[in-house]
């Protein structure tokens, strides 16, 4: 009975959209059950952290005839809350990890699913944005390492004189 009561709670995630805006979304029913399964069956103490840093399809507009505009957002935080969303702030079921984004074409083929042509284009641009952000972070880290090594070398050469 305890699990049924706990499963009645909704899982909310704070996401960052490609335009930099942050919003709270409720995870879809299928993903919610999968996360609770991960917690209960696999005894994973860190089940809440499994989505943080991942990229997930989210709606950016109101649903009309079961269709909405979609984009890909980055998951920042996860919260458990009993309140159900009253509007369109629901995620879709497709998500990928940061490592999966390294293989852009494979990630895009998975995320585009069977959506409309407009959503496929929006998802492509959003994934390209996140891929570029990861590349910039990698370049920045490499520059920091070079500066650190260069600083040690310059310090040693001045000290030798």
């Amino acid at each position: 009975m305890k699990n049924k009561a706990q499963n009645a709670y909704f899982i909310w995630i704070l996401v960052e959209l490609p335009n930099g805006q942050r919003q709270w979304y409720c995870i879809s029913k299928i993903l919610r059950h999968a996360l609770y399964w991960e917690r209960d069956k696999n005894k994973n103490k860190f089940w809440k952290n499994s989505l943080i840093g991942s990229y997930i399809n989210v709606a950016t507009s109101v649903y009309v005839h079961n269709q909405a505009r979609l984009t890909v957002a980055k998951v920042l935080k996860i919260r458990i809350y009993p309140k159900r969303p009253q509007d369109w702030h629901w995620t879709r079921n497709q998500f990928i990890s940061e490592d999966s984004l390294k293989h852009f074409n494979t990630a895009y083929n998975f995320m585009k699913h069977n959506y409309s042509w407009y959503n496929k284009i929006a998802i492509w641009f959003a994934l390209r944005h996140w891929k570029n952000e990861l590349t910039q972070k990698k370049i920045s880290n490499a520059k920091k390492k070079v500066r650190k090594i260069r600083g040690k070398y310059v310090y040693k050469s001045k000290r030798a004189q």
Side-chain angles (χ1 to χ4, degrees):
M1 187 68 180
K2 183 180 177 184
N3 283 344
K4 287 197 180 222
Q6 285 178 342
N7 290 349
Y9 284 85
F10 294 91
I11 300 175
W12 289 79
I13 56 174
L14 177 65
V15 298
E16 182 178 348
L17 299 171
N19 63 7
Q21 189 179 22
R22 292 181 176 193
Q23 291 184 358
W24 285 96
Y25 280 84
C26 190
I27 288 184
S28 67
K29 185 178 181 181
I30 294 170
L31 283 180
R32 184 174 71 226
H33 288 307
L35 285 173
Y36 283 137
W37 184 84
E38 178 72 18
R39 178 195 65 193
D40 298 336
K41 301 294 185 224
N42 290 342
K43 307 293 184 210
N44 185 351
K45 290 188 275 186
F46 306 107
W47 66 275
K48 285 189 199 175
N49 297 336
S50 60
L51 276 182
I52 294 177
S54 297
Y55 302 94
I56 191 165
N57 282 345
V58 296
T60 57
S61 69
V62 178
Y63 282 88
V64 177
H65 302 294
N66 284 340
Q67 290 193 7
R69 292 190 176 181
L70 302 176
T71 191
V72 179
K74 184 177 183 178
V75 179
L76 303 175
K77 290 182 185 177
I78 294 181
R79 296 270 161 82
I80 310 297
Y81 196 66
K83 188 175 179 186
R84 174 187 171 88
Q86 299 300 319
D87 57 5
W88 49 269
H89 281 88
W90 286 94
T91 66
R92 303 297 288 219
N93 295 325
Q94 296 77 29
F95 70 94
I96 56 171
S97 67
E98 191 173 286
D99 291 338
S100 300
L101 194 52
K102 292 176 184 174
H103 309 288
F104 183 82
N105 289 334
T106 307
Y108 172 67
N109 284 334
F110 176 72
M111 296 295 277
K112 73 179 181 179
H113 197 52
N114 59 354
Y115 299 127
S116 67
W117 65 271
Y118 178 83
N119 284 331
K120 287 179 182 181
I121 292 170
I123 288 169
W124 188 90
F125 276 106
L127 281 175
R128 183 53 63 187
H129 166 80
W130 296 118
K131 171 82 170 164
N132 290 343
E133 185 180 88
L134 286 176
T135 303
Q136 289 299 322
K137 191 184 331 180
K138 187 176 179 181
I139 290 170
S140 176
N141 289 340
K143 283 182 178 180
K144 285 179 187 176
K145 287 180 183 178
V146 167
R147 274 185 250 140
K148 188 175 181 180
I149 292 169
R150 185 184 296 155
K152 286 181 182 178
Y153 178 73
V154 170
Y155 177 72
K156 284 181 182 178
S157 64
K158 284 184 181 180
R159 193 171 165 208
Q161 292 175 348

